[in-house]
Amino acid sequence: MNSRSTPFDELDRKIITALMANARTSFAEIGTAIGLSATAVKRRVDRLRETGVITGFTATVKPSALGWRTEAYVEVYCEGAAPPRRLAEVVRNHPEITAAMTVTGGADALLHVRARDVEHFEEVLERIRQEPFIRKTISVMVLSHLLPESPEAGASQPAPEAVPGGAADVR
């Protein structure tokens, strides 16, 4: 994020709300809704991107359409105090981990994992458990999304292709 301080006003908030509801909404449509010209909306969006308030635009896709049919949350318990940057290095090596965060409570981290099926999930879990500082994991499988419009209910990348006779191709 840019270090310079920029004002963030109610119009910016309305623009962001419109883009979060539908990132394909045109600047003209947003401008009409909030009382600005399309040019003024574009200038504000450009500024919000430049300062790091808006970090990107994405499509939310039904996970099963991309090959993700199994989903779980995995609590990770570490030996000693594993630094967050070390945990971040580990999770970046697993494309099936769609979100990861350090947490309070008994666990050190919580991972959101998507897999093609239960067998693929088990393989991912075993790869995670191979890390020398991970003491144990506790998994909770997702059965359904109670808020299907939430970002967690969508997928941002396709499932890795299966390698015949072997594990997933995890590039």
Side-chain angles (χ1 to χ4, degrees), residues 5-20 30 34-36 40-49 51 53-54:
S5 178
T6 56
F8 187 86
D9 62 17
E10 190 57 31
L11 289 173
D12 292 334
R13 195 170 312 284
K14 289 178 180 178
I15 290 168
I16 290 168
T17 299
L19 290 172
M20 288 174 69
I30 294 170
I34 66 172
L36 289 177
V41 172
K42 181 188 181 318
R43 271 195 309 269
R44 284 176 175 259
V45 169
D46 289 346
R47 178 179 45 80
L48 292 167
R49 291 185 72 194
T51 58
V53 173
I54 295 175

Side-chain angles (χ1 to χ4, degrees), residues 86-148:
R86 178 67 182 114
L87 286 166
E89 289 171 13
V90 168
V91 300
R92 282 190 186 101
N93 292 328
H94 302 281
E96 299 88 352
I97 298 173
T98 62
M101 57 284 304
T102 55
V103 295
T104 61
D108 294 295
L110 183 65
L111 311 178
H112 183 207
V113 177
R114 291 192 189 275
R116 289 185 310 276
D117 50 35
V118 173
E119 291 78 17
H120 180 208
F121 173 72
E122 185 175 25
E123 182 259 318
V124 172
L125 194 56
E126 287 307 314
R127 278 192 278 129
I128 293 167
R129 289 177 177 161
Q130 287 176 0
E131 293 297 329
F133 63 88
I134 294 181
R135 180 172 46 91
K136 75 173 185 174
T137 61
I138 297 177
S139 304
V140 179
M141 301 295 283
V142 174
L143 300 177
S144 64
H145 285 271
L146 301 177
L147 299 172

Side-chain angles (χ1 to χ4, degrees), residues 56-77:
F57 299 90
T58 187
T60 303
V61 179
K62 184 177 176 183
S64 61
L66 297 175
W68 300 118
R69 302 203 189 294
T70 301
E71 178 180 9
Y73 286 88
V74 179
E75 292 180 351
V76 175
Y77 296 79

